[in-house]
Amino acid sequence: MNNTNLENFDFNLKKFNTSNIYSYFLNHEAATKQDLASGLNLTLPTVTKNIAYLSERGLIQISGSRGQTGGRRAATYSLCAEAKVALGLDITRHHVACVAVDLNGKIISFSRNRLVFKFTDDYFKKVSVLLNNFIESHDIENDKILGVGIGIPALVQSDNCSVFYSSIIDIRENTYDMFRKYIPFDIAMFNDAKAACFAEKWVNKDILNSFYIMLSNNVGGSMIINGQVYSGDNFRSAEVGHITLVPHGRQCYCGQCGCVDPYLAATNLSQDDLAGYFENLKTTDDEKILDNWSQYLDYMVSTVNIVRTILDCDIILGGYVGAYLEPYLDEIKKRALKISTFDSDAEFIKLCSYKHESIAAGAALHYISEFIKTV
Ligand SMILES: [Zn+2]
C-alpha cells in the first residue's frame, strides 16, 4: 500500500467507525461507551474519540448514567433526534400536507391545509407561504432544515426534478422550477406512492420483496425487490392503478377504461370523509353501503391476486384506505385465498405501518436517509 492508499484507508476506516457508532444510536435509545465498544467490536479510545466528534457536531448528547449503586456510573449517550429535520409536502388535488421529520424518522409535526391545485404562480407562492407558516408555528430553525421532499401524483425521473407523466392534476414540466422559485431550501420531488413506500420501508427495514399498493384518491404502487425499489426501464414500474381489471369498464382518468384506479380509488367509498365512512361501516345495515363495500373488497383482492401471481411477494395495502383496513383484514385474506391458485394462506397480505401522512413523510425521509449516509 502506498502512502495515499494508506491515508485513504485510514480515512475510510475512521468514517466507517463514525457511521457505525452513529447508526448504533439510531437503533438504540441510549448507550454507554462500553456498550458501543462491545456491540461494535471497537476499542474504547476509538469510541471515545468518535463520541467527542459526534457530540461536538451536536448529533449526540449525554442522556443519563448507568451502573451499580456505589460503583462508578457510566454516562449514557443518546441521539439528538432534532439536530436536523427534513420537511415533506404532499401535494394533492385539494390539499397540501406538511410534515417535519426528525433524524429518527419520526413525524414531529404536521398540518393539512386545503389548497386547490392550479398550475399558477399564485399557487406555488401560496404553498411556500403555507410552508413558512408551518416552519414558524412549529419553531423549526432554518439551519436545521435539510431539505423539502415533495410528493406529487405524477411520475418523476430519478433526478427527482423532471416530471414526465401526470394526468391527475395539471403538473407540468417546469414544476420543479416553480417550487424552487419560492421555497428557499433544497427540494426534491417524488411520485406519491414511491414516497409512501419509502416511509414503509423506513419502518420495516428488513423488507426484502414487497409490493405496496397505495389506495388513496388515486391508486399507485411501488415495488421493492431485494431490498431496493425497482423503478423499471422507464421509471413507471408498479403502476398498479392502470392494470385492466374490467375490460371496457369504468372510465379511468388516464384515458383508458376498466383500469384498477376507478374501482379502488378511495373516492369509491367516500368523496371527502373516509374516517366518517369507516366509522359508519362498523355498524351500518344499509345494504347499498354494504354491497358497495363488498364489491370494493372483491376488486381489491382481484388486484392483489394479479400482483401476487406475478411477483410472488408480500403485498402491503396502504394509502388512505389502507389506514382503516385492520378490522377487515381477515375478510380480505379469506376472499384473496378463495381466488388464489397457489397460496394456502394469505399471510402475504400486510397492512401499512405508516398510517398517516406517509407520502409527505416518505418524501422528507429521503433527506434524513441522505444525511445519515454523510455522518
Ligand atoms: Zn388508467
Side-chain angles (χ1 to χ4, degrees):
M1 231 186 257
N2 65 30
N3 264 358
T4 324
N5 279 343
L6 205 60
E7 275 164 30
N8 279 344
F9 177 76
D10 203 32
F11 174 79
N12 286 335
L13 183 67
K14 270 188 198 156
K15 167 107 181 64
F16 179 73
N17 287 339
T18 311
S19 306
N20 268 350
I21 290 176
Y22 189 62
S23 296
Y24 193 93
F25 285 110
L26 290 167
N27 299 315
H28 297 81
E29 217 168 280
T32 62
K33 288 179 183 174
Q34 193 55 54
D35 292 338
L36 290 159
S38 48
L40 298 171
N41 214 3
L42 296 169
T43 63
L44 266 177
T46 301
V47 169
T48 304
K49 225 184 287 169
N50 279 289
I51 290 276
Y53 171 73
L54 291 170
S55 303
E56 218 168 274
R57 287 187 64 186
L59 295 174
I60 59 166
Q61 63 194 352
I62 290 181
S63 55
S65 63
R66 200 195 294 150
Q68 282 146 352
T69 327
R72 203 170 147 213
R73 297 175 69 82
T76 57
Y77 297 84
S78 295
L79 189 77
C80 295
E82 293 185 24
K84 296 283 175 195
V85 294
L87 304 179
L89 295 177
D90 176 16
I91 305 286
T92 66
R93 205 188 305 242
H94 297 120
H95 291 91
V96 174
C98 307
V99 304
V101 170
D102 70 11
L103 288 167
N104 271 324
K106 207 177 86 191
I107 295 180
I108 48 173
S109 32
F110 78 98
S111 79
R112 196 170 159 77
N113 316 273
R114 193 175 161 84
L115 181 63
V116 176
F117 186 90
K118 260 191 206 142
F119 199 93
T120 58
D121 206 61
D122 185 54
Y123 173 83
F124 291 95
K125 214 184 278 176
K126 280 183 178 152
V127 171
S128 86
V129 170
L130 277 179
L131 189 65
N132 263 332
N133 292 344
F134 178 77
I135 292 168
E136 277 174 22
S137 63
H138 292 96
D139 288 325
I140 301 169
E141 292 162 41
N142 276 1
D143 59 351
K144 287 187 176 176
I145 297 171
L146 294 168
V148 184
I150 306 172
I152 53 174
L155 293 177
V156 184
Q157 296 278 12
S158 60
D159 60 6
N160 299 123
C161 3
S162 317
V163 183
F164 67 98
Y165 180 86
S166 170
S167 292
I168 298 170
I169 55 176
D170 177 28
I171 284 178
R172 299 181 197 168
E173 261 176 39
N174 57 334
T175 302
Y176 179 85
D177 299 326
M178 294 300 279
F179 280 124
R180 195 82 202 80
K181 193 168 164 189
Y182 295 110
I183 298 178
F185 304 101
D186 197 50
I187 62 169
M189 299 195 304
F190 302 89
N191 166 260
D192 48 8
K194 307 284 183 291
C197 184
F198 191 75
E200 201 59 33
K201 175 96 172 66
W202 183 277
V203 182
N204 301 301
K205 294 214 163 45
D206 51 349
I207 290 181
L208 197 61
N209 301 322
S210 276
F211 192 100
Y212 179 89
I213 304 181
M214 184 190 76
L215 300 165
S216 292
N217 285 356
N218 59 294
V219 177
S222 182
M223 198 188 317
I224 297 171
I225 294 186
N226 284 328
Q228 303 289 324
V229 172
Y230 173 75
S231 304
D233 291 341
N234 304 290
F235 291 95
R236 48 182 197 228
S237 70
E239 280 300 317
V240 61
H242 304 290
I243 288 174
T244 308
L245 189 61
V246 180
H248 314 293
R250 293 179 196 163
Q251 179 71 49
C252 180
Y253 69 84
C254 76
Q256 299 293 349
C257 288
C259 293
V260 164
D261 192 289
Y263 293 90
L264 290 189
T267 45
N268 282 291
L269 305 176
S270 166
Q271 282 301 319
D272 53 11
D273 181 17
L274 210 55
Y277 172 85
F278 278 104
E279 194 50 44
N280 181 43
L281 190 62
K282 285 181 195 163
T283 52
T284 188
D285 50 14
D286 183 326
E287 262 177 42
K288 225 172 118 194
I289 293 176
L290 292 171
D291 279 352
N292 182 53
W293 173 239
S294 175
Q295 213 177 52
Y296 184 88
L297 288 180
D298 280 340
Y299 289 133
M300 184 200 289
V301 296
S302 297
T303 306
V304 164
N305 189 44
I306 292 168
V307 176
R308 171 74 176 173
T309 308
I310 295 171
L311 292 176
D312 186 28
C313 68
D314 281 357
I315 292 164
I316 303 166
L317 301 172
Y320 300 165
V321 175
Y324 296 99
L325 291 179
E326 191 75 59
Y328 309 99
L329 186 57
D330 286 344
E331 177 63 21
I332 292 168
K333 285 180 177 173
K334 210 169 85 190
R335 290 190 192 210
L337 211 50
K338 218 183 244 176
I339 58 166
S340 165
T341 306
F342 302 111
D343 288 304
S344 53
D345 68 64
E347 295 311 303
F348 64 90
I349 301 178
K350 315 267 182 203
L351 298 183
C352 58
S353 311
Y354 229 108
K355 306 275 186 212
H356 298 286
E357 304 306 344
S358 58
I359 295 170
L365 284 170
H366 159 80
Y367 280 99
I368 300 291
S369 151
E370 290 300 306
F371 175 76
I372 289 170
K373 282 184 207 157
T374 67
V375 176

